[in-house]
């Protein structure tokens, strides 16, 4: 390369920038455990109230906005079989009135502040969040505090909301990817709540009683099972004061003992589908809880494999279709019709779901049903290759950039950062939210190889054809 | 060199992310000698810079060749005079990979979010794309595939099906009646020559607005722009005649199908567009009608009738003529309070009651104030990302009212009165078109 003056100036600039970045990155962590406040390197702080409520604060003054995101570890993963759908139902009902506020007034109180109140439920937690102008932080916390502590679970409102949730369940069928993942989880985690749909089923929602919901609420909605994440134009001291004002009287409760949930070993078996399907899922129990390097490797592995045109799976499928002599295809499909040797892979989606039960790694392929067995051969070939041969540094650097870019984009807003911190906290450690970026940066080809070797174990693989409407 | 620099940039971004003082904003307006308008919003913090390049090449500029704008937008980053297709793709990765071009009914938009040290390279790449793309056959084939995929996807999204049907009713004779993105039949007939001819006519400096937001220095940006657009100097064609559209007299319920599991009922109304002085009033009207969970629509349809998970309103970003849409999506077997399955006509009636109440029962002061705060708040929340700040700035400029409207809109919303709402509601809600989209069997 020719070193032009312009390049030399740029090179100098970047060496300087790199020095700054290393300097900032090597600042020591401050630990002040004595007064229950912990300052981690990145400026995210944790405070724990006497009633066990956790407060995570990330001070950031880019805009005059504050996100408040309350995470209650009361996700679908906590449901007993007879409570199916209760976690998500509770998320809906929390906005339906308290002793102080009638139905509709909780949303109205937040919308009066020029904001919206939203919520979500996953397997590990339910969360309730809003982003407001800094000056309204106290009011937003007051509304959330009232909703969380004093929900009345009115029977009439519950019946209204039942039909809304039934509509939501039907609406979820519009996203065949989610439906397909539900189907996969059912087989990956049989006999675990993680194998049941977060929304519940139409039957379970029709039959869920107020008494069941009330018990679920009393069991899990407690300060010692809750984390409030505050991100934005506010410091820890102020956030701490405002949160204590609203939440310190919330009485601590004994929580049910955690039940150990281990991923199930399944067997590699292409299950014959009732009808030829255009979508096939291959899934693996991820088994990652604390190992942040493995988590980073899983993210990158998913990116290496994914993409209908350029990923490793697409390459594997192409190789199967173009080298039938060397890698023989099954001559007949499960229906007895001849395989059409046409490389037609419409969609490949590779997902990593981190969850408290260890999570899942899933591969969804969409192709004409007649080609699906050949496509699967291509997938298996791509996975085996990754188990044997390390990815090149160049390949890894490219996916690292993509992975980091995605994470940074997701965390560009206060809401995005609060989500990530809360989600990781619900899984056990909020600091992994920020450590993940660092772990991706430091990832080596051997880390990917190690994970691939452990993960893609035939004895722990589930293969299932999606039964349902594939809209693509 | 650029690749290693990008890695450094990411490392830096990771470590510095979040440390900051207040961003002090001010917009500098620049004009290149050939006539490109550039708006630079200099912020004192952050490592990322967002670049939006708007070219007035929307549905009104297609001269009847529906879909050509969409195909051209998708082909901008193929090969060009200086680089092969692979070379361009490589360069896109080197500036962070987020560079993309999309077509919109009012403009073609190129967006790039990159590290501030790569702005110069990103602008160079964009300059290459809007000066002399080749539209080579391979690139056009890829673009056509993308159009096809998108068209298929539209058939699975009842909301998009409903939106298109309502536009056809509300904007008869006007360009917004057309299917956005064009038809496959049209696009298959297009080739390198037709794309180049369209491109040369529409991608011209006086039709181009660049908006840049981030921690940049204006004088450096000015230099980069000069270099990136140095021979982007095509002269403008005769101006396109703006056709004012009529609303069709047909008031029957439009019926469509989509590959979905749900029913969707939507009603649409004409309302003041972005260029209209009553645009802020329309924003408040939308907030009262279906913005948020305390809106009339949400309370009547979801809270009281227990109908639909997705209930709300939509005011698309159309610049010349505005449109307001209210919608409810629900299970086809939804049983109403009387124990019978609810019919689409009953849902239309429910939405109509809710919307028309805005004329019969004008909002109270409390309702007005909440709606104003909500509308202004939504506008503020839509500016959290640098990319979005760049978008709004450029969009307001290219669409007509000028970039200043971006910062003025909350102030104008604050001035809306009940009388303003009555006036605009009476005019806008007089005619409604309704559509029901049901699952294809």
């Amino acid at each position: 390369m020719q070193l032009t003056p312009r390049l030399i100036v740029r090179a100098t600039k970047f060496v300087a920038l790199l020095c700054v970045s290393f300097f900032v990155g090597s600042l020591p962590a401050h630990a002040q455990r004595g007064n229950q406040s912990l300052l981690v390197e990145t400026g995210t702080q944790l405070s724990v109230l006497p009633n066990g409520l956790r407060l995570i604060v990330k001070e950031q003054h880019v805009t005059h906005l504050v996100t408040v995101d309350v995470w209650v570890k009361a996700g679908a993963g906590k449901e007993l079989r007879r409570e199916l759908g209760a976690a998500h139902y509770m998320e809906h009902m929390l906005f339906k009135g308290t002793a102080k506020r009638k139905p509709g007034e909780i949303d109205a109180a937040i919308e009066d502040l020029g904001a919206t109140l939203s919520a979500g439920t996953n397997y590990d937690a339910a969360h309730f969040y809003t982003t407001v102008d800094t000056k309204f932080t106290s009011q937003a916390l007051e509304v959330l505090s009232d909703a969380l502590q004093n929900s009345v679970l009115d029977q009439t409102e519950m019946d209204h909301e039942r039909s809304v949730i039934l509509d939501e369940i039907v609406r979820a069928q519009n996203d065949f990817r989610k439906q397909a993942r539900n189907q996969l989880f059912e087989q990956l985690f049989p006999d675990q709540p993680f194998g049941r749909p977060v929304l519940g089923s139409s039957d379970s929602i029709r039959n869920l009683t107020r008494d069941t919901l009330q018990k679920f609420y009393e069991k899990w909605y407690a300060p010692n099972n809750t984390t409030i994440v505050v991100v934005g134009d506010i410091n820890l001291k102020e956030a701490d004061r405002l949160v204590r004002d609203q939440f310190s009287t919330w009485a601590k409760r004994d929580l049910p003992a955690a039940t150990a949930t281990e991923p199930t070993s399944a067997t590699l078996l292409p299950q014959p589908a009732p009808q030829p399907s255009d979508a096939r899922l291959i899934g693996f129990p991820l088994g990652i809880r604390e190992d942040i390097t493995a988590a980073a490797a899983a993210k990158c592995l998913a990116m290496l494999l994914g993409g209908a045109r350029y990923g490793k799976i697409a390459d594997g499928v192409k190789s199967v279709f173009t080298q039938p002599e060397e890698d023989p295809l099954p001559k007949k499909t499960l229906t007895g019709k001849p395989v059409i040797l046409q490389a037609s892979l419409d969609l490949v989606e590779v997902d990593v779901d981190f969850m408290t039960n260890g999570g899942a790694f899933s591969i969804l392929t969409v192709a004409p049903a007649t080609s699906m067995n050949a496509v699967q051969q291509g997938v298996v070939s791509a996975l085996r290759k990754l188990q044997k041969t390390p990815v090149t540094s160049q390949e890894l650097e490219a996916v690292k950039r993509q992975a980091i870019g995605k994470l940074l984009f997701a965390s560009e807003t206060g809401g995005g950062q609060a989500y990530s911190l809360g989600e990781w906290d619900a899984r056990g450690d909020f600091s992994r939210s920020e450590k993940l970026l660092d772990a991706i940066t430091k990832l080596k080809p051997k880390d990917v190889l190690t994970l691939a070797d452990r993960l893609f174990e035939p004895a722990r693989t589930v293969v299932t054809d999606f039964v349902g409407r594939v809209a693509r | 060199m650029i690749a290693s620099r990008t890695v450094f940039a990411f490392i830096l971004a990771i470590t510095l992310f979040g440390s900051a003082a207040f961003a002090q904003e001010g917009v500098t307006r620049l004009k290149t000698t050939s006539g490109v308008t550039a708006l630079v919003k200099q912020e004192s913090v952050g490592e990322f810079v967002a670049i939006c390049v708007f070219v007035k090449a929307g549905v009104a500029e297609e001269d009847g060749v529906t879909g050509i704008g969409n195909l051209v937008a998708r082909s901008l980053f193929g090969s060009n005079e200086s680089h092969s297709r692979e070379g361009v793709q490589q360069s896109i990765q080197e500036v962070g990979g987020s560079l993309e071009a999309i077509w919109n009914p009012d403009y073609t938009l190129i967006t790039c979010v990159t590290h501030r040290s790569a702005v110069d390279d990103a602008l160079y790449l964009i300059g290459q794309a809007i000066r002399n793309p080749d539209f080579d056959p391979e690139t056009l084939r890829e673009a056509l595939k993308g159009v096809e995929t998108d068209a298929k996807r539209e058939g699975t999204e009842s909301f998009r099906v409903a939106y298109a049907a309502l536009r056809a009713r509300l904007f008869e004779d006007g360009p917004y009646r057309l299917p956005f993105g064009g038809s496959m039949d049209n696009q298959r007939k297009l080739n390198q020559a037709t794309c180049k001819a369209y491109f040369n006519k529409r991608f011209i400096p006086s039709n181009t607005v660049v908006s840049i937001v981030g921690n940049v220095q204006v004088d450096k940006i000015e230099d980069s722009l000069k270099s990136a657009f140095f021979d982007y100097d095509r002269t403008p064609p005769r101006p396109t005649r703006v056709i004012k559209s009529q609303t069709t007299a047909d008031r029957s319920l439009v019926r469509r199908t989509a590959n979905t599991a749900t029913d969707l009922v939507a009603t649409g109304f004409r309302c003041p567009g972005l260029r209209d002085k009553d645009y802020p009033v329309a924003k408040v009207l939308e907030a009262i009608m279906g913005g948020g969970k305390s809106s009339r629509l949400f309370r009547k349809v979801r809270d009281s009738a227990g109908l639909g998970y997705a209930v709300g309103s939509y005011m698309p970003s159309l610049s010349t003529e505005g449109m307001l849409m209210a919608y409810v999506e629900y299970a086809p077997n939804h049983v109403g309070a009387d124990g019978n399955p609810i019919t689409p006509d009953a849902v239309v009636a429910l939405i109509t009651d809710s919307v028309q109440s805005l004329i019969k029962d004008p909002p109270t002061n409390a309702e007005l104030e909440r709606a104003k705060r909500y509308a202004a708040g939504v506008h503020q929340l839509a500016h959290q990302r640098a990319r979005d700040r760049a978008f709004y700035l450029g969009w307001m400029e290219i669409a007509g009212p000028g970039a200043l409207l971006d910062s003025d809109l909350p102030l104008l919303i604050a001035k809306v009165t009940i009388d303003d709402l009555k006036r605009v509601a009476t005019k806008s809600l007089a005619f409604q078109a309704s559509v029901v989209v049901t699952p294809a069997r």
Side-chain angles (χ1 to χ4, degrees):
Chain A
M1 186 198 307
Q2 197 182 351
L3 275 179
T4 62
R6 193 182 185 200
L7 282 178
I8 292 169
V9 169
R10 283 182 174 178
T12 311
K13 184 170 70 178
F14 274 93
V15 170
L17 288 176
L18 196 61
C19 291
V20 173
S21 75
F22 281 156
F23 171 73
V24 174
S26 63
L27 286 175
H30 298 272
Q32 302 164 4
R33 292 174 199 273
N35 65 359
Q36 301 249 20
S37 178
L38 179 73
L39 171 63
V40 296
E41 278 181 3
T42 49
T44 304
Q45 296 162 292
L46 171 72
S47 166
V48 182
L49 272 61
N51 60 5
L53 187 136
R54 292 160 66 81
L55 168 64
I56 296 169
V57 180
K58 185 158 189 176
E59 187 176 345
Q60 206 168 67
H61 303 283
V62 180
T63 61
H64 295 277
L65 294 170
V66 171
T67 295
V68 179
D69 196 346
V70 182
W71 289 74
V72 186
K73 281 180 249 175
K78 294 278 170 47
E79 290 168 355
L80 304 171
R81 192 173 284 280
R82 63 186 153 74
E83 294 172 329
L84 177 61
H88 172 253
Y89 211 137
M90 195 56 236
E91 172 218 308
H92 277 243
M93 289 305 294
L94 213 77
F95 298 154
K96 294 293 159 190
T98 64
K100 186 174 155 186
R101 290 183 168 94
K102 290 180 196 155
E105 291 185 359
I106 291 173
D107 287 305
I110 292 290
E111 288 172 13
D112 270 343
L113 309 177
T116 51
L117 184 56
S118 302
T121 307
N122 62 25
Y123 284 105
D124 294 324
H127 72 125
F128 308 88
Y129 57 98
T130 186
T131 299
V132 293
D133 194 299
T134 311
K135 61 178 180 276
F136 296 134
T137 310
S138 171
Q139 286 97 314
L141 282 165
E142 189 276 322
V143 175
L144 283 163
S145 165
D146 185 32
L148 281 157
Q149 296 184 53
N150 308 314
S151 192
V152 290
L153 303 181
D154 177 78
Q155 182 68 59
T156 310
E157 288 303 313
M158 189 174 165
D159 290 339
H160 270 146
E161 214 53 26
R162 195 187 308 275
S163 57
V164 170
I165 295 171
L166 289 170
D167 278 356
E168 188 179 357
I169 289 173
V170 175
R171 189 174 187 262
Q173 291 168 15
N174 288 342
D175 187 348
F176 84 93
R177 297 169 179 87
K178 272 192 194 162
Q179 294 295 303
R181 228 144 48 113
N182 280 349
Q183 192 184 309
L184 181 72
F185 281 17
E186 195 181 338
Q187 295 193 27
L188 270 177
F189 309 119
D191 304 322
Q192 283 187 32
F194 296 87
R196 301 194 282 263
V198 171
L199 297 183
S201 67
S202 297
D203 281 347
S204 75
I205 296 303
R206 276 193 201 100
N207 296 323
L208 200 81
T209 63
R210 185 184 175 281
D211 184 50
T212 304
L213 204 60
Q214 178 78 35
K215 282 182 178 149
F216 188 86
Y217 176 54
E218 286 168 4
K219 194 162 48 170
W220 297 111
Y221 279 68
N224 43 322
N225 199 35
T226 300
T227 299
I228 300 181
V229 187
V230 179
V231 177
D233 181 24
I234 191 165
N235 60 37
L236 174 67
K237 193 177 165 194
E238 179 65 359
D240 192 80
R241 185 183 68 78
L242 295 176
V243 167
R244 277 172 202 269
D245 280 353
Q246 300 300 337
F247 288 90
S248 57
T249 56
W250 195 7
K252 187 174 181 171
R253 253 183 248 158
D254 288 336
L255 299 169
T259 48
T261 49
E262 289 300 323
T264 315
S265 293
T267 50
L268 177 62
L269 183 63
Q271 302 285 341
Q275 292 174 335
S277 173
D278 288 353
R280 181 166 289 175
L281 294 121
I282 303 180
F284 310 87
L286 189 58
I288 295 175
R289 288 187 181 80
E290 290 168 10
D291 185 347
I292 199 71
T293 302
K299 283 268 178 200
C300 289
L301 198 51
M303 286 190 162
L304 276 163
L305 287 166
R309 279 162 55 204
Y310 301 117
K312 295 267 177 199
I313 285 177
D315 288 347
V317 171
K318 271 181 218 155
S319 74
V320 166
F321 277 106
T322 53
Q323 298 170 19
E325 299 302 320
E326 292 165 24
D327 200 350
L329 297 172
K331 297 298 175 208
K332 303 232 168 155
T333 63
L334 295 167
T335 55
K337 289 179 184 162
V339 170
I340 298 168
L341 292 179
Q342 186 186 349
S344 175
L345 185 58
D346 294 341
L347 176 78
V348 178
E349 250 184 32
V350 185
D351 279 309
V352 183
D353 287 279
F354 297 119
M355 300 189 287
T356 46
N357 76 336
F361 191 96
S362 55
I363 298 166
L364 168 69
T365 50
V366 177
T370 45
S371 314
M372 199 50 99
N373 285 350
V375 166
Q376 183 177 323
Q377 260 198 302
V379 175
V380 172
S381 143
L383 301 186
R384 290 202 179 131
K385 207 169 167 187
L386 276 168
Q387 287 178 305
K388 287 178 194 158
T389 322
V391 292
T392 65
S393 297
Q394 200 182 357
E395 280 175 323
L396 186 59
E397 288 310 311
V399 292
K400 278 161 70 171
R401 277 204 296 274
Q402 280 178 45
I404 290 169
K406 274 196 171 184
L407 285 174
L408 289 180
F409 181 79
S411 60
E412 191 184 349
T413 62
Q417 289 178 60
Y419 181 89
S420 180
L421 287 164
E423 194 182 37
W424 280 101
D425 191 70
R427 289 185 211 125
D429 181 0
F430 72 90
S431 72
R432 283 187 212 134
S433 162
E434 285 150 345
K435 286 177 184 161
L436 185 62
L437 278 169
D438 189 44
I440 292 174
T441 312
K442 291 175 180 159
L443 205 66
K444 302 274 186 300
K446 73 170 171 47
D447 300 321
V448 178
L449 188 74
T450 306
L451 179 69
D453 190 44
R454 175 178 72 72
L455 192 60
F456 305 136
E457 192 187 322
R460 288 161 61 85
T461 309
V462 164
V463 181
T464 181
D465 279 325
F466 173 59
V467 182
R469 187 181 53 87
V470 178
R472 51 181 154 140
Chain B
M1 181 64 196
I2 297 175
S4 57
R5 195 176 61 182
T6 311
V7 175
F8 289 170
F10 275 124
I11 294 168
L12 189 76
I14 295 160
T15 49
L16 293 184
F17 201 75
S19 61
F22 272 109
Q24 296 298 321
E25 297 94 358
V27 178
T28 307
R29 181 179 287 268
L30 306 169
K31 195 114 184 171
T32 66
T33 46
S34 59
V36 174
T37 300
L39 303 159
V40 185
K41 190 169 189 177
Q42 191 178 3
E43 297 181 342
S44 58
V45 296
E47 292 302 311
F48 293 102
V49 175
I51 304 168
C52 286
V53 178
F54 292 80
V55 181
K56 203 178 280 181
V59 71
E61 284 76 35
E62 290 185 323
D63 300 328
V65 189
T66 318
I68 192 166
N70 189 13
L71 196 68
V72 162
R74 289 170 184 269
S75 310
L76 286 176
F77 292 104
S79 61
N80 57 48
E81 216 169 59
S82 318
H83 300 284
S84 67
R85 191 173 141 76
E86 290 70 29
V88 171
Q89 290 308 310
Q90 176 69 25
S91 303
I92 288 175
Q93 289 307 312
E94 286 170 357
V95 297
S98 81
L99 189 56
E100 60 175 11
I102 56 160
W103 182 87
N104 182 283
D106 290 318
Y107 51 80
T108 294
L109 170 63
I110 298 169
T111 311
C112 179
V113 179
T114 189
H115 188 259
R116 64 197 185 100
S117 59
V119 170
D120 199 21
D121 296 315
L123 282 172
Y124 171 76
L125 203 53
I126 293 168
Q128 290 282 325
I130 66 165
R131 271 158 45 201
N132 47 30
D134 272 349
F135 301 108
D136 59 278
E138 198 189 338
T139 298
L140 285 178
R141 258 197 307 277
E142 281 287 321
L144 205 55
K145 257 193 220 167
V147 173
E148 196 167 13
T149 306
D150 197 47
K152 272 189 192 168
R153 195 174 300 138
E154 177 162 351
T156 70
E157 293 174 17
S158 46
F159 187 88
R160 284 173 69 183
V161 172
Y163 177 41
L166 290 179
R167 284 199 324 269
R169 275 281 164 94
L170 295 173
F171 300 114
E172 201 176 41
D173 301 334
Y176 292 152
R177 79 184 187 284
L178 297 166
F180 289 170
S183 71
M184 283 305 297
D185 287 348
N186 259 352
Q187 281 155 320
R188 281 198 190 98
K189 291 175 198 156
L190 301 174
N191 56 34
Q192 192 172 21
T194 48
C195 287
K196 270 208 162 178
Y198 165 83
F199 173 82
N200 287 332
K201 189 172 170 188
R202 297 298 173 197
F203 282 66
I204 54 173
S206 56
N207 270 0
T208 306
V209 171
V210 181
S211 57
I212 299 173
V213 171
N215 188 358
V216 292
Q217 286 175 279
V218 176
D219 53 344
K220 287 194 176 166
I221 291 292
E222 200 167 4
D223 290 345
S224 300
L225 285 169
K226 268 183 202 162
S227 149
F229 298 100
F230 78 96
D231 61 352
Y232 180 54
D233 53 5
R234 288 183 285 270
T235 50
R238 277 187 301 176
T240 309
R241 188 168 64 93
V242 177
I243 303 165
K244 203 79 172 151
S245 55
Q246 301 297 311
T247 298
T248 172
D250 188 353
R251 297 187 174 221
S252 60
L253 180 66
V254 183
R255 292 179 189 276
R256 294 278 185 274
T257 59
N259 190 10
T260 63
T262 41
D263 280 358
L264 184 136
V265 170
T267 62
F269 312 87
R270 294 278 295 271
C271 76
L274 183 70
R275 291 181 193 170
D276 195 303
K277 66 174 176 43
D278 278 331
Y279 180 73
V281 184
K283 293 299 283 184
V284 178
L285 191 68
E286 189 220 353
I288 295 175
M289 186 171 103
K293 297 190 184 85
S294 48
S295 66
R296 291 193 181 191
L297 191 69
F298 197 92
R299 279 187 286 141
K300 186 169 183 87
V301 175
R302 187 164 145 174
D303 279 352
S304 302
L307 177 66
Y309 174 71
V311 177
S313 61
Y314 174 57
M315 197 169 152
S317 310
L318 302 174
S319 60
T320 52
E321 300 175 298
M323 172 182 167
L324 196 53
M325 188 171 157
Y327 61 89
V328 181
E329 190 179 3
Y330 58 96
N333 59 356
H334 187 104
V335 175
D338 59 359
N340 294 316
I342 197 152
T343 63
D345 292 299
V347 180
V348 172
L350 205 57
I351 297 177
T352 304
D353 272 1
S354 169
V355 172
Q356 296 299 331
S357 74
L358 287 164
I359 299 172
K360 288 180 217 149
D361 308 308
T364 61
N365 276 325
E367 200 177 9
L368 172 70
E369 289 310 312
R370 177 182 302 148
K372 281 156 65 168
R373 278 194 293 268
Y374 179 84
V378 166
H379 184 72
Q380 189 186 5
L381 289 174
H383 286 65
Q384 290 184 83
R385 296 183 186 280
R387 186 191 64 179
D388 298 332
R389 291 194 288 279
F391 169 80
Y392 278 99
L393 206 57
W395 176 52
M396 301 271 183
E397 182 72 17
I398 196 98
L404 266 182
L405 182 63
D406 188 28
S407 51
D408 287 351
L409 190 60
L411 307 172
L412 296 170
I413 284 172
K415 288 180 185 163
V416 173
T417 64
I418 289 182
D419 285 342
D420 291 333
L421 282 171
K422 279 187 200 166
R423 177 172 49 79
V424 172
T426 307
K427 192 178 165 195
S428 299
L429 307 179
F431 174 80
Q432 75 179 54
S434 300
V435 57
V436 54
V437 184
T438 52
R441 304 290 173 199

